[in-house]
């Protein structure tokens, strides 16, 4: 005969295995979800373009960002990470803002004058279960000035 503790152990083990299998199946099928992210980024102003004391060039700028990431939210999406910002839910996944660049664009040398710079948005989708999904979207480009500001 089985004791109550043995029956409870069997029940808890079965429930844990069933939950693990369901999470695995859900994560597998979540990988087939296609995302349709739309966005634009434009450089509003180049705030600083200078040569550092060590000879490297540095650029800081203001960006106008319009982004719609609502299609990336599924039942399995916990949050989305962009830059140092976390989008917690679908209601906050569509926005338009003007922000200063938090990190300067730095080149080791003097190769940025007049160069074409491509702006690409990278994000990470953190699911409730399964592996983290990384993706990117090329948005726009601009040319740096020929002289320091």
């Amino acid at each position: 005969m089985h004791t109550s503790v043995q029956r409870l152990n069997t029940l808890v083990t079965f429930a844990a295995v069933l939950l693990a299998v369901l999470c695995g199946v859900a994560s597998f099928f979540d990988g087939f979800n296609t995302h349709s992210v739309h966005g634009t980024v434009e450089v509003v102003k180049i705030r600083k373009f200078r040569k550092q004391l060590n000879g490297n060039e540095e650029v800081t700028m203001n960006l106008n960002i319009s982004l719609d990431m609502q299609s990336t939210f599924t039942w399995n999406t916990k949050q989305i990470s962009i830059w140092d910002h976390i989008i917690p839910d679908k209601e906050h996944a569509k926005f338009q803002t003007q922000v200063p660049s938090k990190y300067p664009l730095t080149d080791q040398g003097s190769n940025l004058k007049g160069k074409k710079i491509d702006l690409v948005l990278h994000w990470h989708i953190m699911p409730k279960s399964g592996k983290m999904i990384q993706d990117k979207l090329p948005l726009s480009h601009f040319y740096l000035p020929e002289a320091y500001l």
Side-chain angles (χ1 to χ4, degrees):
M1 286 292 188
H2 298 291
T3 65
S4 309
V5 174
Q6 289 173 325
R7 290 180 182 173
L8 182 62
N9 184 27
T10 303
L11 183 63
V12 169
T13 302
F14 176 73
V17 169
L18 182 63
L19 182 62
V21 168
L22 288 175
C23 285
V25 169
S27 297
F28 174 76
F29 284 114
D30 199 39
F32 294 111
N33 187 23
T34 58
H35 308 291
S36 175
V37 175
H38 302 287
T40 59
V41 173
E42 64 179 339
V43 176
V44 177
K45 178 183 177 187
I46 296 179
R47 293 180 306 169
K48 189 187 322 178
F49 183 30
R50 67 182 182 103
K51 190 170 197 167
Q52 298 174 333
L53 294 176
N54 60 6
N56 298 337
E57 290 182 332
E58 176 182 81
V59 178
T60 57
M61 59 197 99
N62 290 352
L63 302 171
N64 188 10
I65 302 169
S66 176
L67 192 59
D68 182 4
M69 298 192 69
Q70 291 179 331
S71 68
T72 59
F73 277 89
T74 65
W75 65 271
N76 193 29
T77 304
K78 180 178 180 182
Q79 62 190 18
I80 298 173
S81 172
I82 302 175
W83 306 293
D84 292 341
H85 183 71
I86 293 176
I87 301 173
D89 52 28
K90 191 172 186 174
E91 289 76 32
H92 294 96
K94 185 174 184 179
F95 59 90
Q96 182 172 358
T97 185
Q98 187 172 358
V99 295
S101 59
K102 186 173 183 178
Y103 305 106
L105 176 63
T106 306
D107 182 42
Q108 295 179 352
S110 299
N111 300 317
L112 287 179
K113 290 181 187 175
K115 293 290 181 175
K116 177 183 172 183
I117 306 296
D118 293 318
L119 299 173
V120 179
L121 176 69
H122 291 257
W123 66 88
H124 300 273
I125 300 173
M126 293 167 229
K128 294 175 184 168
S129 69
K131 69 175 188 156
M132 187 167 27
I133 300 167
Q134 301 177 25
D135 208 349
K136 63 183 177 180
L137 175 68
L139 294 173
S140 64
H141 65 271
F142 70 98
Y143 290 90
L144 287 172
E146 293 288 338
Y148 296 124
L149 302 176

